[in-house]
Amino acid sequence: MDSYKQRPSSAHDSPYWTTNSGAPVWNNNSSLTVGTRGPILLEDYHLVEKIANFDRERIPERVVHARGASAKGFFEVTHDVSHLTCADFLRAPGVQTPVIVRFSTVIHERGSPETLRDPRGFAVKFYTREGNFDMVGNNFPVFFVRDGLKFPDMVHALKPNPKSHIQENWRIFDFFSHVPESLHMFTFLLDDLGIPLNYRHMEGFGVNTYTLVNKAGKVHYVKFHWKPTCGVKCLLEEDAIRVGGSNHSHATKDLYDSIAAGNYPEWKLFIQTMDPEHEDRFNFDPLDVTKIWPEDILPLQPVGRLVLNKNIDNFFGENEQLAFCPALVVPGIYYSDDKLLQSRIFSYADSQRHRLGPNYLQLPVNAPKCAHHNNHHEGFMNFMHRDEEINYFPSRFDPVRHAERYPIPSNICTGKREKNIIAKENNFQQPGERFRSWPADRQERFTRRIVEGLSDARCTHEIRAVWVSYLTMADKTLGQKVASRLNLKPSM
């Protein structure tokens, strides 16, 4: 028997209990003891193995996006974008690529209610013929911070107080009072969009700016947008309390039940593109993730559709062990100098190596479905079958060669080493425009949520004053309303 052809699978279950090594277990009810009463003997290997495995069932949960649900399906190209990218999976209309998608909440623990006000993750893994492409985004088009150096502090502020383990508004508004670029994100988080009805009825955004590169090497900046065909629907506070009170996993259940019933969730993929030579034409930095690109200038272009038509087979194997990283791109798609993206390229993979081990990309849900070859060797939990004698490169005994070269952005990088903020911050124009675009009742709900947050007893006068100044710079009327309700005088 070739032992390397055997792979652990529940499809090959023994008809009787065994240990992990395959030895038969004749009694899975009672520990081995000295006499009827005990004590228990350490030589009861089955007991020790069973308890030791149980003690290690929980891998470290994600620091963010711990609470999530996954589903499988396909992506189909519906419009020709081959003039923009040489990505094989986007080569022509009609081309289909298998995918797995994970939706999630961001801040709270794995068992937390899915009705909490929180951003939602929207991550898509494309299993392409040229390797995996991970489009890792959220349900909002912008983010809290533009520089990854602030990310750990941002998460700490949004997470529960380390002393009481209670999420507290004063900590959130204190930190973000030092981060004026966050105001735009708060116009999404504290808007009605802050609590999606479920995962099927929410948008998705790539958030970061990537680049598309065509066969000729022409580069375009790109932003990705997912639009649900069933529309965007949200829960107001009263509805969220009612829904969450009856089922804290309502969104996971809705996703699973919908697919099981044949009501397959579907999204349309659109892109916005920009010629890098035109980036200075705007009064903001197009690579700043706290900004949106105006659709009247850079219109949405249809690309394809995403259909989720199969539930995952196992929650742990295809949700908890499912790992995404924005660094995973394919020829024809590349990074930009987006500061937040640049740090995510490292941080996501580093997080997965901590959580799942250095060989997490060998796990079936994360492994590419195309042929692949490298000399990454051994390490914890490496179950790659290797019988080659050559594990170095180059070698005259191994015919493996370099892949064909594909184009990547080749702009010249110049500048001195420095730690600086971007030149065009423009933190308040887009939040103000967004607020003014809402009807009066929606504006009132947003204003109330801001006031409730700033009314925390530990929000100091200084913190409230800073926030009122930010809100006033975004929209004078908004600042006046918040100041009045907090008994503060708005200041510029």
PDB file of all heavy atoms in Angstrom, residues 100-122:
ATOM      1  N   ILE A 100     -14.768  30.987  -3.179  1.00  0.00           N
ATOM      2  CA  ILE A 100     -15.347  30.863  -1.851  1.00  0.00           C
ATOM      3  C   ILE A 100     -15.358  32.258  -1.247  1.00  0.00           C
ATOM      4  O   ILE A 100     -14.423  33.039  -1.446  1.00  0.00           O
ATOM      5  CB  ILE A 100     -14.587  29.859  -0.964  1.00  0.00           C
ATOM      6  CG1 ILE A 100     -15.341  29.629   0.351  1.00  0.00           C
ATOM      7  CG2 ILE A 100     -13.149  30.297  -0.719  1.00  0.00           C
ATOM      8  CD1 ILE A 100     -14.823  28.450   1.158  1.00  0.00           C
ATOM      9  N   VAL A 101     -16.445  32.587  -0.561  1.00  0.00           N
ATOM     10  CA  VAL A 101     -16.646  33.936  -0.031  1.00  0.00           C
ATOM     11  C   VAL A 101     -16.866  33.836   1.476  1.00  0.00           C
ATOM     12  O   VAL A 101     -17.572  32.951   1.951  1.00  0.00           O
ATOM     13  CB  VAL A 101     -17.861  34.627  -0.697  1.00  0.00           C
ATOM     14  CG1 VAL A 101     -18.071  36.022  -0.117  1.00  0.00           C
ATOM     15  CG2 VAL A 101     -17.655  34.699  -2.204  1.00  0.00           C
ATOM     16  N   ARG A 102     -16.246  34.735   2.220  1.00  0.00           N
ATOM     17  CA  ARG A 102     -16.481  34.803   3.664  1.00  0.00           C
ATOM     18  C   ARG A 102     -16.984  36.197   4.017  1.00  0.00           C
ATOM     19  O   ARG A 102     -16.356  37.205   3.686  1.00  0.00           O
ATOM     20  CB  ARG A 102     -15.212  34.497   4.460  1.00  0.00           C
ATOM     21  CG  ARG A 102     -15.453  34.407   5.973  1.00  0.00           C
ATOM     22  CD  ARG A 102     -14.201  33.965   6.716  1.00  0.00           C
ATOM     23  NE  ARG A 102     -14.485  33.676   8.121  1.00  0.00           N
ATOM     24  CZ  ARG A 102     -14.392  34.555   9.121  1.00  0.00           C
ATOM     25  NH1 ARG A 102     -14.024  35.805   8.868  1.00  0.00           N
ATOM     26  NH2 ARG A 102     -14.670  34.202  10.358  1.00  0.00           N
ATOM     27  N   PHE A 103     -18.129  36.233   4.684  1.00  0.00           N
ATOM     28  CA  PHE A 103     -18.684  37.463   5.234  1.00  0.00           C
ATOM     29  C   PHE A 103     -18.402  37.465   6.740  1.00  0.00           C
ATOM     30  O   PHE A 103     -18.333  36.400   7.365  1.00  0.00           O
ATOM     31  CB  PHE A 103     -20.191  37.537   4.991  1.00  0.00           C
ATOM     32  CG  PHE A 103     -20.595  37.350   3.563  1.00  0.00           C
ATOM     33  CD1 PHE A 103     -21.085  36.132   3.105  1.00  0.00           C
ATOM     34  CD2 PHE A 103     -20.489  38.396   2.654  1.00  0.00           C
ATOM     35  CE1 PHE A 103     -21.471  35.944   1.785  1.00  0.00           C
ATOM     36  CE2 PHE A 103     -20.871  38.230   1.322  1.00  0.00           C
ATOM     37  CZ  PHE A 103     -21.359  36.999   0.893  1.00  0.00           C
ATOM     38  N   SER A 104     -18.295  38.635   7.320  1.00  0.00           N
ATOM     39  CA  SER A 104     -17.937  38.659   8.739  1.00  0.00           C
ATOM     40  C   SER A 104     -18.288  39.999   9.358  1.00  0.00           C
ATOM     41  O   SER A 104     -18.495  41.000   8.667  1.00  0.00           O
ATOM     42  CB  SER A 104     -16.430  38.407   8.901  1.00  0.00           C
ATOM     43  OG  SER A 104     -15.675  39.356   8.154  1.00  0.00           O
ATOM     44  N   THR A 105     -18.378  39.995  10.683  1.00  0.00           N
ATOM     45  CA  THR A 105     -18.317  41.249  11.427  1.00  0.00           C
ATOM     46  C   THR A 105     -16.860  41.466  11.783  1.00  0.00           C
ATOM     47  O   THR A 105     -16.035  40.554  11.688  1.00  0.00           O
ATOM     48  CB  THR A 105     -19.191  41.194  12.692  1.00  0.00           C
ATOM     49  OG1 THR A 105     -18.727  40.133  13.532  1.00  0.00           O
ATOM     50  CG2 THR A 105     -20.646  40.965  12.341  1.00  0.00           C
ATOM     51  N   VAL A 106     -16.504  42.665  12.209  1.00  0.00           N
ATOM     52  CA  VAL A 106     -15.086  43.008  12.330  1.00  0.00           C
ATOM     53  C   VAL A 106     -14.568  42.952  13.765  1.00  0.00           C
ATOM     54  O   VAL A 106     -13.582  42.287  14.059  1.00  0.00           O
ATOM     55  CB  VAL A 106     -14.817  44.408  11.732  1.00  0.00           C
ATOM     56  CG1 VAL A 106     -13.372  44.839  11.972  1.00  0.00           C
ATOM     57  CG2 VAL A 106     -15.117  44.405  10.247  1.00  0.00           C
ATOM     58  N   ILE A 107     -15.231  43.631  14.663  1.00  0.00           N
ATOM     59  CA  ILE A 107     -14.621  43.903  15.968  1.00  0.00           C
ATOM     60  C   ILE A 107     -14.885  42.815  16.999  1.00  0.00           C
ATOM     61  O   ILE A 107     -14.012  42.477  17.790  1.00  0.00           O
ATOM     62  CB  ILE A 107     -15.101  45.268  16.503  1.00  0.00           C
ATOM     63  CG1 ILE A 107     -14.553  46.389  15.594  1.00  0.00           C
ATOM     64  CG2 ILE A 107     -14.668  45.482  17.945  1.00  0.00           C
ATOM     65  CD1 ILE A 107     -13.031  46.440  15.510  1.00  0.00           C
ATOM     66  N   HIS A 108     -16.067  42.239  16.998  1.00  0.00           N
ATOM     67  CA  HIS A 108     -16.474  41.426  18.133  1.00  0.00           C
ATOM     68  C   HIS A 108     -16.086  39.956  17.983  1.00  0.00           C
ATOM     69  O   HIS A 108     -15.693  39.498  16.923  1.00  0.00           O
ATOM     70  CB  HIS A 108     -17.975  41.588  18.360  1.00  0.00           C
ATOM     71  CG  HIS A 108     -18.373  43.005  18.587  1.00  0.00           C
ATOM     72  ND1 HIS A 108     -18.218  43.629  19.798  1.00  0.00           N
ATOM     73  CD2 HIS A 108     -18.863  43.946  17.739  1.00  0.00           C
ATOM     74  CE1 HIS A 108     -18.632  44.889  19.704  1.00  0.00           C
ATOM     75  NE2 HIS A 108     -19.021  45.100  18.461  1.00  0.00           N
ATOM     76  N   GLU A 109     -16.233  39.211  19.088  1.00  0.00           N
ATOM     77  CA  GLU A 109     -15.751  37.846  19.170  1.00  0.00           C
ATOM     78  C   GLU A 109     -16.525  36.900  18.246  1.00  0.00           C
ATOM     79  O   GLU A 109     -17.570  37.227  17.717  1.00  0.00           O
ATOM     80  CB  GLU A 109     -15.844  37.341  20.618  1.00  0.00           C
ATOM     81  CG  GLU A 109     -14.946  38.065  21.608  1.00  0.00           C
ATOM     82  CD  GLU A 109     -15.624  39.289  22.232  1.00  0.00           C
ATOM     83  OE1 GLU A 109     -16.639  39.753  21.674  1.00  0.00           O
ATOM     84  OE2 GLU A 109     -15.142  39.783  23.261  1.00  0.00           O
ATOM     85  N   ARG A 110     -16.003  35.683  18.162  1.00  0.00           N
ATOM     86  CA  ARG A 110     -16.571  34.697  17.246  1.00  0.00           C
ATOM     87  C   ARG A 110     -18.035  34.394  17.561  1.00  0.00           C
ATOM     88  O   ARG A 110     -18.824  34.152  16.648  1.00  0.00           O
ATOM     89  CB  ARG A 110     -15.739  33.409  17.316  1.00  0.00           C
ATOM     90  CG  ARG A 110     -16.272  32.297  16.455  1.00  0.00           C
ATOM     91  CD  ARG A 110     -15.368  31.083  16.497  1.00  0.00           C
ATOM     92  NE  ARG A 110     -16.138  29.866  16.229  1.00  0.00           N
ATOM     93  CZ  ARG A 110     -15.621  28.659  16.195  1.00  0.00           C
ATOM     94  NH1 ARG A 110     -14.337  28.498  16.419  1.00  0.00           N
ATOM     95  NH2 ARG A 110     -16.375  27.607  15.958  1.00  0.00           N
ATOM     96  N   GLY A 111     -18.439  34.401  18.822  1.00  0.00           N
ATOM     97  CA  GLY A 111     -19.811  34.071  19.169  1.00  0.00           C
ATOM     98  C   GLY A 111     -20.719  35.267  19.331  1.00  0.00           C
ATOM     99  O   GLY A 111     -21.844  35.127  19.812  1.00  0.00           O
ATOM    100  N   SER A 112     -20.280  36.440  18.912  1.00  0.00           N
ATOM    101  CA  SER A 112     -21.054  37.666  19.139  1.00  0.00           C
ATOM    102  C   SER A 112     -22.261  37.736  18.203  1.00  0.00           C
ATOM    103  O   SER A 112     -22.290  37.112  17.140  1.00  0.00           O
ATOM    104  CB  SER A 112     -20.160  38.885  18.931  1.00  0.00           C
ATOM    105  OG  SER A 112     -19.610  38.871  17.619  1.00  0.00           O
ATOM    106  N   PRO A 113     -23.291  38.504  18.581  1.00  0.00           N
ATOM    107  CA  PRO A 113     -24.473  38.650  17.722  1.00  0.00           C
ATOM    108  C   PRO A 113     -24.128  39.309  16.386  1.00  0.00           C
ATOM    109  O   PRO A 113     -23.282  40.200  16.320  1.00  0.00           O
ATOM    110  CB  PRO A 113     -25.405  39.544  18.553  1.00  0.00           C
ATOM    111  CG  PRO A 113     -24.930  39.402  19.956  1.00  0.00           C
ATOM    112  CD  PRO A 113     -23.451  39.192  19.874  1.00  0.00           C
ATOM    113  N   GLU A 114     -24.804  38.881  15.349  1.00  0.00           N
ATOM    114  CA  GLU A 114     -24.572  39.462  14.023  1.00  0.00           C
ATOM    115  C   GLU A 114     -25.417  40.706  13.782  1.00  0.00           C
ATOM    116  O   GLU A 114     -25.459  41.212  12.658  1.00  0.00           O
ATOM    117  CB  GLU A 114     -24.870  38.407  12.949  1.00  0.00           C
ATOM    118  CG  GLU A 114     -23.859  37.263  12.964  1.00  0.00           C
ATOM    119  CD  GLU A 114     -24.153  36.199  11.932  1.00  0.00           C
ATOM    120  OE1 GLU A 114     -25.292  35.682  11.925  1.00  0.00           O
ATOM    121  OE2 GLU A 114     -23.250  35.873  11.134  1.00  0.00           O
ATOM    122  N   THR A 115     -26.064  41.199  14.821  1.00  0.00           N
ATOM    123  CA  THR A 115     -26.879  42.408  14.698  1.00  0.00           C
ATOM    124  C   THR A 115     -26.198  43.625  15.302  1.00  0.00           C
ATOM    125  O   THR A 115     -26.812  44.688  15.407  1.00  0.00           O
ATOM    126  CB  THR A 115     -28.236  42.197  15.401  1.00  0.00           C
ATOM    127  OG1 THR A 115     -27.998  41.658  16.710  1.00  0.00           O
ATOM    128  CG2 THR A 115     -29.117  41.255  14.614  1.00  0.00           C
ATOM    129  N   LEU A 116     -24.930  43.499  15.699  1.00  0.00           N
ATOM    130  CA  LEU A 116     -24.238  44.643  16.293  1.00  0.00           C
ATOM    131  C   LEU A 116     -23.832  45.631  15.203  1.00  0.00           C
ATOM    132  O   LEU A 116     -23.553  45.252  14.061  1.00  0.00           O
ATOM    133  CB  LEU A 116     -23.003  44.169  17.059  1.00  0.00           C
ATOM    134  CG  LEU A 116     -23.276  43.251  18.255  1.00  0.00           C
ATOM    135  CD1 LEU A 116     -21.964  42.797  18.888  1.00  0.00           C
ATOM    136  CD2 LEU A 116     -24.144  43.962  19.290  1.00  0.00           C
ATOM    137  N   ARG A 117     -23.788  46.915  15.585  1.00  0.00           N
ATOM    138  CA  ARG A 117     -23.336  47.947  14.647  1.00  0.00           C
ATOM    139  C   ARG A 117     -21.830  47.791  14.468  1.00  0.00           C
ATOM    140  O   ARG A 117     -21.049  47.974  15.401  1.00  0.00           O
ATOM    141  CB  ARG A 117     -23.690  49.343  15.185  1.00  0.00           C
ATOM    142  CG  ARG A 117     -23.327  50.485  14.213  1.00  0.00           C
ATOM    143  CD  ARG A 117     -23.882  51.804  14.712  1.00  0.00           C
ATOM    144  NE  ARG A 117     -25.341  51.790  14.736  1.00  0.00           N
ATOM    145  CZ  ARG A 117     -26.125  52.046  13.688  1.00  0.00           C
ATOM    146  NH1 ARG A 117     -25.578  52.349  12.520  1.00  0.00           N
ATOM    147  NH2 ARG A 117     -27.427  52.009  13.802  1.00  0.00           N
ATOM    148  N   ASP A 118     -21.414  47.461  13.276  1.00  0.00           N
ATOM    149  CA  ASP A 118     -20.030  47.092  13.028  1.00  0.00           C
ATOM    150  C   ASP A 118     -19.831  47.020  11.526  1.00  0.00           C
ATOM    151  O   ASP A 118     -20.762  46.668  10.794  1.00  0.00           O
ATOM    152  CB  ASP A 118     -19.779  45.708  13.671  1.00  0.00           C
ATOM    153  CG  ASP A 118     -18.307  45.381  13.861  1.00  0.00           C
ATOM    154  OD1 ASP A 118     -17.489  46.311  13.906  1.00  0.00           O
ATOM    155  OD2 ASP A 118     -17.990  44.182  13.983  1.00  0.00           O
ATOM    156  N   PRO A 119     -18.634  47.328  11.016  1.00  0.00           N
ATOM    157  CA  PRO A 119     -18.388  47.043   9.598  1.00  0.00           C
ATOM    158  C   PRO A 119     -18.485  45.547   9.342  1.00  0.00           C
ATOM    159  O   PRO A 119     -18.317  44.732  10.258  1.00  0.00           O
ATOM    160  CB  PRO A 119     -16.953  47.545   9.375  1.00  0.00           C
ATOM    161  CG  PRO A 119     -16.687  48.491  10.507  1.00  0.00           C
ATOM    162  CD  PRO A 119     -17.485  47.979  11.674  1.00  0.00           C
ATOM    163  N   ARG A 120     -18.756  45.188   8.111  1.00  0.00           N
ATOM    164  CA  ARG A 120     -18.791  43.783   7.700  1.00  0.00           C
ATOM    165  C   ARG A 120     -17.681  43.509   6.696  1.00  0.00           C
ATOM    166  O   ARG A 120     -17.448  44.307   5.783  1.00  0.00           O
ATOM    167  CB  ARG A 120     -20.131  43.434   7.051  1.00  0.00           C
ATOM    168  CG  ARG A 120     -21.177  42.820   7.977  1.00  0.00           C
ATOM    169  CD  ARG A 120     -21.557  43.701   9.100  1.00  0.00           C
ATOM    170  NE  ARG A 120     -22.660  43.162   9.917  1.00  0.00           N
ATOM    171  CZ  ARG A 120     -23.099  43.743  11.012  1.00  0.00           C
ATOM    172  NH1 ARG A 120     -22.538  44.864  11.444  1.00  0.00           N
ATOM    173  NH2 ARG A 120     -24.098  43.220  11.707  1.00  0.00           N
ATOM    174  N   GLY A 121     -17.026  42.377   6.866  1.00  0.00           N
ATOM    175  CA  GLY A 121     -16.043  41.959   5.889  1.00  0.00           C
ATOM    176  C   GLY A 121     -16.718  41.289   4.699  1.00  0.00           C
ATOM    177  O   GLY A 121     -17.766  40.654   4.826  1.00  0.00           O
ATOM    178  N   PHE A 122     -16.130  41.448   3.528  1.00  0.00           N
ATOM    179  CA  PHE A 122     -16.641  40.846   2.290  1.00  0.00           C
ATOM    180  C   PHE A 122     -15.396  40.386   1.523  1.00  0.00           C
ATOM    181  O   PHE A 122     -14.781  41.156   0.792  1.00  0.00           O
ATOM    182  CB  PHE A 122     -17.428  41.885   1.494  1.00  0.00           C
ATOM    183  CG  PHE A 122     -18.268  41.337   0.364  1.00  0.00           C
ATOM    184  CD1 PHE A 122     -19.633  41.567   0.331  1.00  0.00           C
ATOM    185  CD2 PHE A 122     -17.704  40.617  -0.674  1.00  0.00           C
ATOM    186  CE1 PHE A 122     -20.432  41.096  -0.711  1.00  0.00           C
ATOM    187  CE2 PHE A 122     -18.479  40.130  -1.713  1.00  0.00           C
ATOM    188  CZ  PHE A 122     -19.847  40.371  -1.733  1.00  0.00           C
TER     189      PHE A 122
END
